[in-house]
Amino acid sequence: MITDDVHVDAHVLATDALDVVHAPAALHDDAVLMALLDRGDLLPDWDDAWVPLEREWLRRLRLRALDTLSVRLARQGMTALALEAALASIRIEPLRENPHRTVVSAHLAEGNLFEALRHFQAYRSLLRTELGVEPSPGLERMVSAPRR
């Protein structure tokens, strides 16, 4: 039985993540951002049958929230915070393109072409090594357009 005195991190993380994903407008709340950045996997040392499914659900929800938050922060011109959220998403799952696109976009918005290119090249190398594929043409265009 859960009482009001019990604080469950997974429940707080899920609530915060759902708030970000379903917020109709830009959301900037340092407490929510820190909750999304600081949380780890659900019960990482447990192997009960129900844990992997719940762990994966919470991980994917956190990724979606970080991606949503990073895009919203970038649109608000808060590129430093957008980078933090995008990089947190990359640390969780480095092969997904969405957060890499936000990192490149944020660097370009700050006028840091070198950083945008460096990040793109590192991501392209990772994709080639791990999956034998290239980044999407859209991401490629993002970094090639400023060089023209």
Side-chain angles (χ1 to χ4, degrees):
M1 175 166 73
I2 296 179
T3 69
D4 290 338
D5 297 333
V6 176
H7 178 82
V8 181
D9 285 348
H11 176 53
V12 172
L13 175 57
T15 300
D16 288 345
L18 287 168
D19 287 347
V20 169
V21 170
H22 295 296
L27 173 69
H28 174 64
D29 181 341
D30 289 338
V32 170
L33 179 58
M34 292 311 299
L36 292 172
L37 293 175
D38 288 342
R39 299 294 192 260
D41 284 340
L42 174 69
L43 304 171
D45 297 327
W46 285 38
D47 60 358
D48 291 11
W50 64 272
V51 173
L53 185 60
E54 292 298 315
R55 184 182 298 132
E56 180 62 12
W57 174 79
L58 193 58
R59 184 186 76 82
R60 294 191 57 73
L61 178 60
R62 182 175 173 218
L63 286 169
R64 193 170 340 124
L66 285 166
D67 291 349
T68 300
L69 186 61
S70 66
V71 168
R72 287 181 184 164
L73 290 167
R75 286 183 184 149
Q76 292 176 325
M78 305 171 108
T79 53
L81 289 174
L83 282 168
E84 289 300 318
L87 291 171
S89 181
I90 291 167
R91 282 190 296 274
I92 297 168
E93 183 51 68
L95 297 174
R96 294 173 62 250
E97 186 166 303
N98 289 349
H100 290 282
R101 185 179 301 114
T102 302
V103 169
V104 168
S105 177
H107 284 311
L108 291 173
E110 291 179 335
N112 294 324
L113 178 58
F114 172 76
E115 288 296 326
L117 287 171
R118 185 190 62 76
H119 186 85
F120 172 78
Q121 289 168 351
Y123 177 57
R124 182 177 57 197
S125 177
L126 177 66
L127 283 180
R128 286 176 175 170
T129 301
E130 295 295 321
L131 302 175
V133 299
E134 295 291 321
S136 72
L139 184 55
E140 180 88 40
R141 281 190 299 274
M142 283 179 70
V143 295
S144 62
R147 294 187 289 181
R148 290 182 193 152

